[in-house]
């Protein structure tokens, strides 16, 4: 389950002093991109980031977000528009923010599969280019894989890359 995949890294990062929002977005609807209330999801991620910022002992310079697929879109979109997140990792994702709406510059790491059939690598690279043009520091890592989702070994590597990025 996704909870088991994300739980161990989340606990480890928290123990290292990082506060990380992990939007987990899974919809069974075939028309989810058209029918799900995306504005509500963006608000939920923004609220979570703001709540995390107010936690006792939270270091405002170590607030981050990581998300897979639509969760990665949400994390990055909220981070560049409205939140105080300092770092974002988007896995198998991109973004849909108009360049003029990018007003914040968190560090961004985009990780994608070279042949992702759901989120095209071209889409991820296009998003990286838009972010760079707006002064957002971006790193892109490509895995040689034909899938949208990743194997347990690939997730282990993804979380290691994310951890190095956050710390």
């Amino acid at each position: 389950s996704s909870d088991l995949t994300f739980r161990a890294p989340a606990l480890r990062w928290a123990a290292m002093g990082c506060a990380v929002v992990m939007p987990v977005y899974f919809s069974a609807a075939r028309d989810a991109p058209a029918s799900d209330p995306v504005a509500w999801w963006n608000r939920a991620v923004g609220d979570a980031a703001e709540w995390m910022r107010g936690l006792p002992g939270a270091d405002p310079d170590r607030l981050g977000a990581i998300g897979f697929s639509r969760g990665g879109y949400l994390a990055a979109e909220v981070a560049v528009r409205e939140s105080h997140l300092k770092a974002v990792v988007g896995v198998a994702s991109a973004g849909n923010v108009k360049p003029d709406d990018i007003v914040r510059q968190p560090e961004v790491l985009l990780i994608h599969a070279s042949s992702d059939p759901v989120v095209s690598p071209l889409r991820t690279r296009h998003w990286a280019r838009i972010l760079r043009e707006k002064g957002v520091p971006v790193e892109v890592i490509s895995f040689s894989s034909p899938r949208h989702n990743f194997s347990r070994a690939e997730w282990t590597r993804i979380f290691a890359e994310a951890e190095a990025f956050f710390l």
Side-chain angles (χ1 to χ4, degrees):
S1 104
S2 63
D3 180 52
L4 295 175
T5 303
F6 283 75
R7 186 177 190 80
L11 293 172
R12 189 170 58 251
W13 297 336
M16 294 176 180
C18 293
V20 179
V21 172
M22 296 179 153
V24 179
Y25 174 93
F26 292 99
S27 177
R30 293 183 66 105
D31 67 341
S35 67
D36 282 1
V38 175
W40 181 90
W41 282 96
N42 284 324
R43 186 70 262 135
V45 173
D47 288 350
E50 191 60 30
W51 172 81
M52 184 175 65
R53 184 173 170 230
L55 290 173
D59 181 345
D61 292 326
R62 299 188 79 190
L63 302 177
I66 181 172
F68 167 71
S69 195
R70 183 66 187 137
Y73 275 79
L74 290 165
E77 291 170 359
V78 169
V80 300
R81 282 195 318 237
E82 63 185 82
S83 77
H84 296 279
L85 295 169
K86 301 295 183 182
V88 175
V89 177
V91 181
S93 67
N96 291 315
V97 177
K98 294 176 186 172
D100 288 344
D101 292 337
I102 296 172
V103 296
R104 299 197 178 267
Q105 298 176 328
E107 294 182 42
V108 176
L109 172 62
L110 299 173
I111 301 172
H112 69 95
S114 59
S115 298
D116 188 329
V118 177
V119 178
S120 164
L122 292 174
R123 179 74 186 104
T124 301
R125 289 193 297 273
H126 176 72
W127 174 236
R129 188 172 56 254
I130 290 170
L131 293 173
R132 283 187 189 107
E133 288 171 358
K134 293 301 288 184
V136 177
V138 180
E139 180 180 346
V140 178
I141 297 173
S142 181
F143 283 23
S144 179
S145 173
R147 297 179 307 276
H148 180 63
N149 205 342
F150 296 95
S151 69
R152 184 167 291 282
E154 289 166 328
W155 275 112
T156 298
R157 181 175 164 211
I158 288 166
F159 287 127
E161 294 283 0
E163 186 169 305
F165 179 74
F166 284 136
L167 300 176

